[in-house]
Amino acid sequence: MSRRCELTGKAVLTGHLVSHSNRKTKRRFLPNLVNVTLQSDALGRSVRMRISAAALRTVEHRGGLDAFLAKAKDVELSQTALGVKREIAKKQMADAAAG
């Protein structure tokens, strides 16, 4: 399982740990990933994802998973999130055509 947020694409960064004597040793900056179950209003079901804490706050700020995925760029999304985004778009198109 990769250390990458499924919604924002945030991943591991590398840098230096700098001591008081200014010696530099390699270190890794890991994203704060959490396993969450998000509810999709359009699909009427829940989706399990591994996302960063910042992405979780953004999802809540935008008004849910459906609204977040509508504004999200396809390049940043994982295959799972991209599939959910397509399902939501398909469902919304079917609802618009029916009603």
Side-chain angles (χ1 to χ4, degrees):
M1 187 181 300
S2 66
R3 295 182 189 267
R4 181 177 294 273
C5 175
E6 293 190 46
L7 294 181
T8 60
K10 187 180 287 193
V12 176
L13 295 174
T14 59
H16 289 105
L17 181 77
V18 182
S19 69
H20 179 70
S21 64
N22 207 27
R23 292 185 75 153
K24 295 166 184 73
T25 55
K26 288 284 190 181
R27 67 158 291 184
R28 299 171 75 201
F29 295 94
L30 301 177
N32 184 11
L33 297 177
V34 290
N35 292 315
V36 295
T37 303
L38 299 171
Q39 189 70 31
S40 172
D41 296 329
L43 299 177
R45 66 179 175 93
S46 58
V47 181
R48 285 184 48 86
M49 291 186 175
R50 191 171 189 218
I51 64 174
S52 64
L56 182 58
R57 286 195 308 271
T58 307
V59 167
E60 291 176 2
H61 177 75
R62 288 193 184 165
L65 180 64
D66 299 344
F68 180 90
L69 289 175
K71 290 183 101 176
K73 297 176 183 172
D74 292 350
V75 177
E76 296 174 347
L77 299 175
S78 69
Q79 293 298 320
T80 307
L82 202 54
V84 172
K85 181 177 180 176
R86 289 183 182 137
E87 282 183 53
I88 291 170
K90 191 183 294 184
K91 177 82 170 170
Q92 289 174 345
M93 292 294 284
D95 290 346

